[in-house]
Amino acid sequence: MSVAWPSVDPEVIGLRGSMDGAAIADLANDLMHAVAGQSFLEWTRLRILAEIYHRLVAPFADDDQRAFDAHARAASQIAMLSGRSQRVAEGELDDVLMLFGELPQVADCLRDGVITAAHLRTVLGRTALVSGRDYAGAVDAEIASALRRPGTLSRWQVRNLCDRIVFRHDPDSVRERRKSAKQQRRVWAEHIDGGMSVLHASMTAENVRVAVARVEALAGSVCKHDPRAAGARRSDAVFALLSGERFECLCDRGEDCDATIPEPAMVQAAEAPVFIHVITEAATLEEPDTDAAAETTTEPTVTRVHTSRPSGLGFMDGYGVISGEHVRELSTRARAIIKPINPAGKPLLSHLPSNPYRPSSAMVLYIRARDGYCTVPGCDKPAFAADADHVHEYDHDNPAAGGRTTAENLATKCRMHHQMKTDGVFLDDQYIDEHGEPDRCSTHATVSRFSGTSNPVTSCSPPCGASSSPTHNHHPHRHPAGGGHHHNSNPSHPPGAETVWQTSTPAVAANGNAIANDASALRRQR
């Protein structure tokens, strides 16, 4: 017998009936408990769908030749009950079959509130290749184990986590999926309200980066008095680039306008430089020997399985995990620069010799490769566009007293979150866990304007970067002059360069100790 949800006593399910007088920290805990409850209810809903499938579809799955078979009929009932389309309902039936049949440990993560329904949709979308494969159980176990590590993951980080695991298990299927995706690239339009339409285009991630840079360069060429919003300028710039019409500043200031607008066809690499950082291992850059038999070799700190199939992974800054084949394609582009990272295997120089506050170029590159993204929970801003932050404030008067410039005390933060921390919105901590990886937590100290009391609310961020291997950058980095916490250290490259960072040596920490057993593997996403 169904019970109306509003009639359920909140305290029965661990929630407070009244929020009056509750501390902010208690409200934050209630919020997370409610989110976990949503996950449990979603797991329950999917279990019900799975039971419907096994009762109405499974008995007829092998020999149902009707135009509207048992699968379509069951989906029709679900669609009518829930107000969803037939296509969505059929997709959900397929999803529950995959989830409880081949990813049961991931399903348990949803039941236990470890992930949300949005996370689950990402996992299902990124693991479609494992359906029916003999390694499905291993993929399920690895993903579930990674999801259960302490911390908060965004959907983008879950995507990278799944890709890293699936790519390792079946590079052939990944290669075929990428080939299919490239063949299906297209341009299409859809109409929206107000006499407007939206133009879409699918292309490789690196080509999007180039296209966006051109659009940004043209849109940004107007003077500061142009009345259009940034998005509107970009839209007009796209049209100018596609049509060949001149892009103009709309400030209406005549000769007083100081904008320098290039012709659309003249927006070249010099005006729109694109730096694409890809982190990988040296072996990935080598074309695989398709005639070689599979063999296993063991090295002192790593065991690798060499097969005749393409293997290896890369991490493209601003995109995520990419296949070895994709890495090799990028490495052969005309302007690609391939640089071995720390070929001598020497300990990293933590800071500039002349200034112990400023991290060295090698250290900045290492933490960006390690973190992958802004390290604030839920933020997906790329690490290569982020600042290098001292987790514990650097003591300028007595550097030995704390906040030293070391890998253990540096983390990437986007400019917004860096400023928030500087302004005291939150504090964070970072320490090295048993895997040799940084674990972090952030605490929001919310002060009541009336009571003056402080209620800390803590959340955790897992390491989400591309590689646990410290890396050396052979290009100088620019640092802003003066004090402050910002190390917005973008590499200086020739205009238009696309950079492939290659690592070929075991991981060596700043103190000379190994911090990763597998220098070739992308770091765990959790």
Side-chain angles (χ1 to χ4, degrees):
M1 179 177 178
S2 299
V3 177
W5 282 107
S7 66
V8 175
D9 183 357
E11 294 184 358
V12 172
I13 55 176
L15 299 174
R16 65 187 69 248
S18 173
M19 299 181 189
D20 295 339
I24 292 296
D26 293 334
L27 291 177
N29 290 331
D30 289 349
L31 174 64
M32 298 314 300
H33 184 59
V35 170
Q38 285 182 311
S39 296
F40 179 77
L41 288 176
E42 177 66 6
W43 175 83
T44 302
R45 188 183 74 87
L46 296 178
R47 285 291 299 167
I48 293 170
L49 290 178
E51 185 64 22
I52 291 174
Y53 180 92
H54 287 299
R55 293 191 187 188
L56 299 184
V57 181
F60 314 101
D62 295 334
D63 54 4
D64 195 343
Q65 301 298 319
R66 293 174 293 179
F68 296 105
D69 59 11
H71 186 275
R73 291 166 187 259
S76 176
Q77 296 181 49
I78 295 167
M80 292 178 186
L81 286 170
S82 58
R84 304 191 178 199
S85 70
Q86 178 75 13
R87 180 178 180 182
V88 169
E90 290 183 0
E92 285 197 325
L93 286 177
D94 294 336
D95 286 345
V96 297
L97 186 65
M98 173 73 176
L99 178 63
F100 295 106
E102 303 196 67
L103 301 174
Q105 295 186 53
V106 171
D108 290 346
C109 289
L110 181 67
R111 178 199 64 194
D112 298 341
V114 175
I115 58 175
T116 66
H119 290 132
L120 178 65
R121 287 192 294 272
T122 300
V123 173
L124 290 173
R126 307 311 295 183
T127 56
L129 292 176
V130 312
S131 180
R133 304 302 179 99
D134 56 1
Y135 57 81
V139 169
D140 177 37
E142 290 180 35
I143 292 177
S145 176
L147 291 173
R148 287 185 180 277
R149 289 189 63 186
T152 303
L153 285 176
S154 69
R155 292 181 64 183
W156 198 257
Q157 291 163 349
V158 170
R159 171 187 180 274
N160 287 334
L161 181 155
C162 294
D163 283 353
R164 176 186 58 79
I165 293 171
V166 173
F167 285 19
R168 288 289 188 192
H169 280 276
D170 197 346
D172 266 356
S173 293
V174 171
R175 180 188 61 185
E176 292 303 317
R177 182 170 70 177
R178 171 165 166 74
K179 180 180 178 181
S180 174
K182 289 182 67 177
Q183 291 174 341
Q184 295 176 27
R185 63 190 185 276
R186 62 193 180 101
V187 175
W188 73 101
E190 64 174 306
H191 302 305
I192 57 176
D193 295 336
M196 302 292 287
S197 296
V198 179
L199 180 66
H200 303 268
S202 61
M203 62 189 75
T204 62
E206 61 273 16
N207 284 351
V208 167
R209 293 278 292 276
V210 173
V212 169
R214 298 286 175 89
V215 172
E216 293 283 2
L218 187 57
S221 63
V222 299
C223 79
K224 65 180 181 180
H225 300 285
D226 188 285
R228 291 170 292 185
R233 291 201 309 271
R234 295 188 191 102
S235 175
D236 293 345
V238 169
F239 179 75
L241 289 167
L242 291 175
S243 66
E245 293 189 8
R246 182 170 177 78
F247 180 75
E248 296 181 346
C249 180
L250 301 185
C251 69
D252 293 331
R253 297 171 63 240
E255 295 182 356
D256 292 332
C257 177
D258 57 359
T260 303
I261 310 289
E263 293 292 334
M266 300 302 293
V267 183
Q268 302 298 326
E271 290 81 20
V274 182
F275 306 136
I276 301 177
H277 302 270
V278 178
I279 304 163
T280 189
E281 61 169 337
T284 303
L285 295 174
E286 301 172 2
E287 287 292 337
D289 184 0
T290 56
D291 298 324
E295 62 176 353
T296 301
T297 62
T298 302
E299 300 175 7
T301 60
V302 57
T303 300
R304 295 191 180 92
V305 178
H306 300 279
T307 72
S308 60
R309 302 174 179 177
S311 61
L313 291 175
F315 184 92
M316 181 189 293
D317 175 58
Y319 178 80
V321 178
I322 61 175
S323 66
E325 183 180 35
H326 196 172
V327 172
R328 290 186 287 275
E329 288 179 12
L330 289 171
S331 70
T332 60
R333 292 182 71 132
R335 293 179 174 180
I337 300 174
I338 300 175
K339 288 286 186 180
I341 297 175
N342 195 17
K346 296 180 179 179
L348 288 174
L349 179 65
S350 296
H351 54 76
L352 299 179
S354 60
N355 188 346
Y357 172 64
R358 300 289 181 184
S360 67
S361 298
M363 181 58 69
V364 171
L365 180 57
Y366 162 56
I367 64 168
R368 284 176 168 164
R370 180 195 69 190
D371 295 343
Y373 299 94
C374 170
T375 55
V376 173
C379 186
D380 289 328
K381 295 296 178 64
F384 278 85
D387 301 332
D389 170 55
H390 286 81
V391 177
H392 295 279
E393 185 175 1
Y394 182 86
D395 190 331
H396 290 271
D397 296 327
N398 184 11
R404 301 177 65 181
T405 306
T406 63
E408 293 80 2
N409 191 45
L410 291 172
T412 55
K413 290 185 178 67
C414 69
R415 180 55 56 87
M416 180 188 75
H417 283 121
H418 200 163
Q419 292 284 12
M420 281 186 173
K421 178 186 172 183
T422 301
D423 290 345
V425 176
F426 67 90
L427 301 174
D428 61 343
D429 197 5
Q430 176 171 282
Y431 60 93
I432 304 302
D433 66 10
E434 66 273 17
H435 304 290
E437 299 174 350
D439 274 356
R440 308 180 180 92
C441 65
S442 302
T443 298
H444 284 72
T446 305
V447 179
S448 169
R449 69 175 68 182
F450 300 111
S451 66
T453 57
S454 178
N455 301 297
V457 179
T458 302
S459 57
C460 295
S461 172
C464 302
S467 172
S468 55
S469 307
T471 50
H472 276 189
N473 178 10
H474 293 273
H475 291 286
H477 288 65
R478 297 188 297 272
H479 297 278
H485 295 283
H486 296 110
H487 304 294
N488 191 17
S489 313
N490 294 317
S492 300
H493 293 295
E498 295 169 347
T499 305
V500 177
W501 297 107
Q502 165 189 332
T503 179
S504 57
T505 56
V508 179
N511 60 5
N513 297 322
I515 65 169
N517 290 329
D518 187 353
S520 72
L522 296 178
R523 73 171 293 103
R524 286 186 290 275
Q525 300 298 307
R526 289 284 291 188

